[in-house]
Amino acid sequence: LLCVPLGFKDEVIGTISVFDKEKDPTNESYVFTEEDLQLLSMLASQASVAIQNAFMYDHIERLAEENRRRVLELSTLYDVSYAMRRTVKLTQLYHVILTGATISDGLGFNRAMLFIVNERSNVLEGVMAVGPSSASEAGAIWSDLVRSGRTILDFPLLDTEETALRDSPINRKIREIRVPLEDRTLLLGKVIAERKSFNINDTTHDPLIDPALAAWVDARAFAVVPLVARDHAIGLLLVDNLFSGKAIEEENMQFLSMFANQAGLAIENAKMYHNLEQANKNLREAQNKLIQAEKMAALGQMAAGIAHEIRNPLVSIGGFARRLAGRVGEETQEKRYAEIIIKEVRRIEKIVQDILTFSKDSAPAMEECSVNDIVEDAIGLYTEDLAESGCRVVKELASDLPPILVDPQQLMQVLTNIISNAEQAMTGGGELAIRTFIADESGSVGVSIDDTGGGIPEDIMSNIFTPFFTTKVAGTGLGLSICHRIIEKHEGKIEVRSEEGHGTKFVIKLPYRRERRAVKREQPRR
C-alpha cells in the first residue's frame, strides 16, 4: 500500500492510495520504492489543484444558479405585484393572486385556493380557487397557456373569463367551505392563529388534518401559507401539485411565503379602498340628503307663504267664475271663458296642494291594514275615469297576505298617484293590471301596477323621482317624488321598469315583520 495526502494551501482535502504493486522481474519483492512515493506525491499535488478548481467551479455554478433563481423569484414577485396593483376590485384581485400562484411564469403550482377571514362571524370562508379538475384538463390548460404566450401581466380577467371562472367546478366547491376559527388545534385555524406556514407531505398521517379538510382538498400533499397584513392574518392560501406530483420543497415554501405577504397587503389595500369608497358614497348621500332637507325647509316656508297669499284670491276667483258660469248661456263665449277660469283655478290649487304636501315632513300614522283593502279603495276612486278612458282593470289580489303596518291615507295617495299616471299614459285605452303578492322571504308584501301605455323613455328614467321633474304640460313634477318619500318613510322600496312603446310597471314592497311593527308602535310615545 502507498498512500499520500491531497493538499492545497496547507490544507488536506483528501488522500490518494495505490495497492498491490506489480512484481518486478528483476526483483522478487512487491514493496513500493521511494521513487514510487515521489511520483505519487507529484501526481497528488497536481490532482489537488485540479480537484480544488473543480470545487470552486461547482461552487460558482451553484451560486450562479441560486442568483438566477432569486432573480426569477424577484422578477415574478414584481410582475405579480404589478398585476395586483392594476385592480382594486376584490374579485379580480383574488384571481390575479391565484393566477400568480399557478401560472407557469409565476409560482407554477397546479391548483391554488384562497380563504378569507370573516371577522364578524369569526369564520374562514372559501372565496375563490383556480386550477383544473382533472389531469386531462390540466394538460389542456397548460398547452393553451404555452400556445397563447399569456403571462401574469395579462391579468386581471375580462368579464367573460370572470364568469367562466365563477362557474368552474373547483371554484363552486371552494365557495361552499366555512371553517369556524374557534378550534385552533386543526390546520387552518392554526395557520390563522399562529400566522405560520405548513408543508403537509402526507394528509393520511398528519394529526393536524381533519377528514373534512382532506375531502375538500382531495390531495395527498399540499402547502398552506397565511396572508398577513398589519400583524394579523386576514386569510390563507392553499396550493398543491395534484396532477404533476411534484414535491413542494423548502425553497418553494420560502418563495410562497414572500408571495403571500405581497398578496395579503394587496387584499388589505383593496379592502381599505373599498371601505373608503363606501364611506365617500355614504358621505355624498348624507350631503345630498342634508341639501335636500335644507331645500325642503326653504320650500316649506315658501309654500306656507304661497298658500296664505294665493288661496284666498283663488277662492274668490273660483267662486265668482262659477257664479258667472251659472248665469250666462250654455253656448256663449262667456260660458267658455268662465269654465277655463274654473279649470285653471283648480290646476293652481292642485299645484299649491302638491307643494304643501311635499314640503311638509309629516310622520306616517301607522296602523295595521290589509293592503288588498287599500288597493280596492284606490281602484274604486278611478273606476269611472278608467272606464271613460277605455281602460280595462285586471286585479290579482293574493288572499293569504299578512296585515302590514302603514299609514293607509299615505299609501292610498301613492297608489292613486300611480293609477292616475297610468290612466294618463293610456290615452287610447289599454289595460291596467294590479297585483298583490308576498314579495320575498325577508318579509315584504308587494303591489305591482302595470299599464300598457307609451312607457317612459330610457334617458329620463333616472329622473322620474326627482322633485319638479316632469314631462307633462300641466304637471308639477312632485307626484312620484311624494310617492318615493312616503314609501321610504315606511321602510319599503318602490321600483319602476318601463319599455318605451310597451308600458310601465311600478312595484312597491312594504315590510310586515313583527320586529319592525314593535319599533313603529313606539313612535307616538316619542
Side-chain angles (χ1 to χ4, degrees):
L1 165 66
L2 190 61
C3 182
V4 296
L6 296 172
F8 185 80
K9 293 184 178 180
D10 298 328
E11 181 183 353
V12 176
I13 62 172
T15 62
I16 183 169
S17 304
V18 293
F19 302 87
D20 299 336
K21 181 179 177 181
E22 290 186 1
K23 186 176 180 181
D24 190 341
T26 61
N27 190 349
E28 294 297 324
S29 172
Y30 292 91
V31 178
F32 287 100
T33 64
E34 185 66 26
E35 182 180 351
D36 294 332
L37 179 61
Q38 292 177 357
L39 183 61
L40 187 58
S41 296
M42 292 174 59
L43 176 63
S45 177
Q46 296 296 319
S48 298
V49 174
I51 291 173
Q52 190 64 26
N53 288 341
F55 281 163
M56 291 177 63
Y57 180 81
D58 183 65
H59 181 64
I60 291 171
E61 280 284 295
R62 281 188 281 110
L63 286 177
E65 181 60 31
E66 180 69 16
N67 287 336
R68 281 195 294 270
R69 185 178 66 82
R70 290 190 178 277
V71 168
L72 179 61
E73 289 178 353
L74 291 173
S75 175
T76 301
L77 282 177
Y78 174 81
D79 290 345
V80 173
S81 297
Y82 176 76
M84 287 190 291
R85 289 196 303 271
R86 291 173 63 189
T87 179
V88 291
K89 184 180 178 183
L90 274 174
T91 304
Q92 289 188 342
L93 178 59
Y94 291 158
H95 186 262
V96 169
I97 292 169
L98 294 174
T99 301
T102 54
I103 199 168
S104 58
D105 63 334
L107 278 69
F109 292 102
N110 290 176
R111 302 188 306 173
M113 308 171 196
L114 189 64
F115 297 80
I116 297 296
V117 174
N118 185 329
E119 295 180 354
R120 292 183 179 177
S121 57
N122 197 32
V123 168
L124 188 67
E125 300 177 342
V127 294
M128 189 177 289
V130 165
S133 56
S134 65
S136 58
E137 185 182 343
I141 291 173
W142 296 334
S143 299
D144 289 342
L145 285 173
V146 170
R147 282 196 302 270
S148 67
R150 200 173 191 193
T151 70
I152 187 63
L153 296 177
D154 297 319
F155 292 87
L157 287 176
L158 301 173
D159 291 340
T160 52
E161 295 174 310
E162 195 172 325
T163 302
L165 167 69
R166 187 169 54 250
D167 295 336
S168 67
I170 187 173
N171 197 54
R172 290 200 304 268
K173 180 180 178 181
I174 204 71
R175 289 174 65 87
E176 297 174 356
I177 299 177
R178 300 288 185 274
V179 181
L181 293 177
E182 287 83 3
D183 188 355
R184 300 185 176 186
T185 60
L186 297 177
L187 180 65
L188 300 188
K190 201 173 183 66
V191 171
I192 297 299
E194 300 179 6
R195 293 176 294 173
K196 182 181 176 182
S197 302
F198 289 86
N199 189 1
I200 306 299
N201 296 314
D202 188 355
T203 57
T204 57
H205 297 94
D206 198 307
L208 292 174
I209 305 299
D210 62 304
L213 178 61
W216 287 333
V217 178
D218 195 25
R220 190 179 182 86
F222 60 85
V224 189
V225 291
L227 304 174
V228 179
R230 294 188 299 174
D231 286 335
H232 73 281
I234 62 171
L236 61 84
L237 182 64
L238 189 152
V239 297
D240 66 34
N241 288 322
L242 176 64
F243 303 109
S244 68
K246 182 180 178 182
I248 301 176
E249 306 291 347
E250 182 60 31
E251 62 183 30
N252 302 133
M253 292 298 298
Q254 293 176 0
F255 189 21
L256 184 60
S257 296
M258 290 190 293
F259 173 80
N261 289 336
Q262 296 286 327
L265 290 173
I267 292 174
E268 186 70 7
N269 289 339
K271 285 185 174 180
M272 290 174 64
Y273 180 84
H274 175 75
N275 293 338
L276 184 61
E277 269 199 334
Q278 187 62 41
N280 285 335
K281 181 182 177 182
N282 294 340
L283 185 61
R284 286 193 298 270
E285 289 177 354
Q287 184 182 29
N288 291 336
K289 287 181 179 179
L290 181 60
I291 293 172
Q292 188 69 11
E294 291 176 350
K295 286 181 179 178
M296 291 305 102
L299 183 58
Q301 294 177 355
M302 182 184 71
I306 290 174
H308 180 72
E309 297 295 334
I310 294 181
R311 270 185 169 173
N312 290 336
L314 281 180
V315 171
S316 300
I317 295 170
F320 284 117
R322 280 188 287 274
R323 284 187 181 184
L324 288 174
R327 292 185 178 184
V328 297
E330 289 296 328
E331 300 300 327
T332 63
Q333 189 74 14
E334 289 78 6
K335 178 74 171 181
R336 286 194 294 272
Y337 290 160
E339 289 177 347
I340 291 172
I341 294 171
I342 294 170
K343 179 182 176 182
E344 292 303 311
V345 165
R346 287 174 180 167
R347 189 164 71 89
I348 296 172
E349 287 177 340
K350 177 68 168 55
I351 292 172
V352 171
Q353 185 59 44
D354 282 349
I355 293 174
L356 282 172
T357 302
F358 188 73
S359 60
K360 284 192 299 187
D361 192 17
S362 56
M366 298 296 203
E367 57 182 87
E368 279 197 346
C369 304
S370 166
V371 72
N372 285 346
D373 291 345
I374 299 174
V375 169
E376 290 279 14
D377 291 343
I379 295 173
L381 292 176
Y382 281 87
T383 301
E384 294 182 4
D385 292 341
L386 290 167
E388 289 177 3
S389 302
C391 299
R392 186 169 68 93
V393 177
V394 177
K395 293 186 294 185
E396 296 179 16
L397 307 183
S399 59
D400 57 345
L401 296 181
I404 58 175
L405 194 68
V406 295
D407 183 325
Q409 298 303 320
Q410 290 191 1
L411 183 56
M412 172 75 79
Q413 184 178 359
V414 172
L415 295 176
T416 55
N417 194 299
I418 296 174
I419 292 171
S420 174
N421 287 347
E423 180 202 355
Q424 295 173 34
M426 296 184 288
T427 53
E431 181 178 282
L432 181 70
I434 300 181
R435 187 169 67 95
T436 59
F437 55 95
I438 296 291
D440 50 50
E441 295 180 357
S442 64
S444 295
V445 169
V447 181
S448 67
I449 304 172
D450 293 76
D451 68 60
T452 56
I456 302 172
E458 187 176 351
D459 58 339
I460 68 171
M461 276 287 290
S462 59
N463 293 317
I464 62 171
F465 295 120
T466 302
F468 302 107
F469 178 84
T470 182
T471 57
K472 298 178 184 177
V473 177
T476 62
L478 291 174
L480 288 178
S481 300
I482 294 171
C483 294
H484 187 266
R485 193 173 65 180
I486 289 173
I487 298 302
E488 278 192 334
K489 283 183 176 293
H490 284 74
E491 300 178 13
K493 294 180 180 178
I494 180 168
E495 303 167 353
V496 59
R497 294 187 288 274
S498 184
E499 185 177 354
E500 195 169 1
H502 292 82
T504 302
K505 179 177 184 176
F506 281 87
V507 178
I508 299 167
K509 297 178 182 179
L510 296 166
Y512 65 83
R513 291 298 190 197
R514 289 183 179 178
E515 299 80 27
R516 180 180 170 277
R517 288 198 206 105
V519 172
K520 288 295 182 182
R521 282 176 179 154
E522 294 177 1
Q523 286 185 351
R525 292 198 293 271
R526 290 201 298 270

